[in-house]
Amino acid sequence: MLPLTAFATMGWKPLLNTDNHIVDVAACLRISLVKRKMWLIGSPPTLGVHSASPIAELPTPPQLRAGRWYLPAKAVLNQLQHTVIFDKATGRLNVIQPTDPPKINPYVEACLANLPGN
């Protein structure tokens, strides 16, 4: 589990909406704060909420800890084809951006284009 601030430091720009119990991550993933649900939102080439398609459920719902929201990192990051490796020796989570463009679908490609450094 990673706090929303960790996603923000990676350039994912999470938008928290506690009134509707959702968080939008990287402008294309919508995650329920109370269920294990996740949706791909928007449509290429313009991202925005034009459509919402359910995708794989989270292994565990987001958690509120000491006033901060935490998301299951691997499940969320894998949706944008990032590789997540946990190094037990150092206690660090390594995130590797996708490197094989032919394998990236148009929705993921449009979403990745909005992230800094892409």
Side-chain angles (χ1 to χ4, degrees):
M1 301 292 275
L2 283 178
L4 283 181
T5 53
F7 291 93
T9 62
M10 291 186 282
W12 286 54
K13 303 176 189 169
L15 297 172
L16 183 63
N17 182 334
T18 54
D19 292 335
N20 292 313
H21 309 290
I22 57 171
V23 62
D24 289 346
V25 181
C28 60
L29 294 177
R30 175 162 288 167
I31 299 168
S32 170
L33 295 175
V34 294
K35 298 179 182 174
R36 298 181 332 145
K37 304 268 184 209
M38 188 165 38
W39 301 268
L40 186 63
I41 59 174
S43 58
T46 304
L47 289 173
V49 186
H50 300 292
S51 63
S53 304
I55 51 179
E57 286 197 354
L58 297 169
T60 183
Q63 297 174 6
L64 182 61
R65 300 178 188 168
R68 297 174 68 186
W69 282 99
Y70 286 74
L71 303 177
K74 187 172 184 177
V76 173
L77 292 165
N78 282 339
Q79 288 305 314
L80 290 184
Q81 299 177 348
H82 285 60
T83 302
V84 180
I85 301 167
F86 180 69
D87 183 348
K88 288 182 183 179
T90 63
R92 294 183 53 95
L93 188 69
N94 298 311
V95 178
I96 303 166
Q97 294 183 351
T99 57
D100 193 354
K103 291 183 180 178
I104 300 174
N105 70 48
Y107 289 97
V108 170
E109 184 178 12
C111 195
L112 290 172
N114 284 334
L115 297 176
N118 291 318

